[in-house]
Amino acid sequence: KVVMRVVDKYVDLMIADARANAPVDRGFTKNSIDKEVKGNFSISFYVGTAYGAIQEFGTGDYMEIPPELEQDAFAFKGYKSGNFNEFLEEIKEWCGRKGIDESAAYPIAVKILNKGLRPQPFFYPAYRKFKDAMIAEANEELKKLVES
């Protein structure tokens, strides 16, 4: 229980940091960052949007995946949802929210399909930021338990 309290504390810090740095258009990704406590020994920290990994690592020519995450990221390779017309409509809506003329939507969509999207890391950096401190504090708490 002591270690879980430490992990829970740091996962909350990771969530706050990831939310603070998540890309925001409509806020879906930012608001989907959460945790799930599974029993007495497991906490999952996750992004709940289907496109969170796309935002985190980018796509196409711009994709940047840390070597230690290549296997996990491979699960999202080739992820597609919808068709070109639906994609174009999403880009048109985005243009409207950004004050960009809707006629720019088609060239933007084509560029994204040909070149990809630049990564906007927010999740993995939050994990890396707190991981070492979390492990150190958990080890200290375990050491106290062993010594008492």
Side-chain angles (χ1 to χ4, degrees):
K1 288 185 178 188
V2 160
V3 172
M4 279 296 283
R5 278 196 300 271
V6 170
V7 172
D8 192 49
K9 174 179 99 172
Y10 280 96
V11 166
D12 286 343
L13 292 170
M14 292 173 192
I15 289 169
D17 192 81
R19 285 180 180 164
N21 293 300
V24 177
D25 176 26
R26 291 176 287 183
F28 297 147
T29 297
K30 177 181 179 172
N31 294 328
S32 78
I33 301 167
D34 209 346
K35 68 181 178 183
E36 181 181 356
V37 178
K38 299 175 184 175
N40 293 324
F41 302 106
S42 176
I43 299 177
S44 295
F45 160 50
Y46 63 89
V47 177
T49 58
Y51 48 84
I54 292 168
Q55 291 175 302
E56 178 80 13
F57 303 117
T59 63
D61 294 349
Y62 303 114
M63 188 178 293
E64 295 177 10
I65 300 170
E68 63 272 22
L69 294 180
E70 285 177 354
Q71 285 294 346
D72 295 322
F74 188 73
F76 296 97
K77 187 170 177 62
Y79 170 80
K80 290 181 176 49
S81 176
N83 60 44
F84 182 78
N85 288 332
E86 291 169 342
F87 177 56
L88 185 58
E89 286 305 312
E90 288 286 330
I91 299 296
K92 285 179 183 178
E93 290 175 19
W94 176 83
C95 286
R97 290 191 299 276
K98 300 295 180 185
I100 299 168
D101 190 279
E102 190 178 284
S103 65
Y106 185 85
I108 291 170
V110 169
K111 182 175 184 220
I112 290 170
L113 290 175
N114 288 330
K115 296 291 283 175
L117 290 170
R118 295 185 189 280
Q120 301 174 71
F122 60 96
F123 187 78
Y124 192 58
Y127 166 75
R128 283 196 323 249
K129 181 176 181 178
F130 294 104
K131 176 187 79 155
D132 291 342
M134 176 181 67
I135 291 168
E137 190 171 324
N139 284 335
E140 282 300 313
E141 291 298 327
L142 286 172
K143 186 177 176 184
K144 288 178 194 175
L145 283 174
V146 170
E147 291 173 354
S148 63

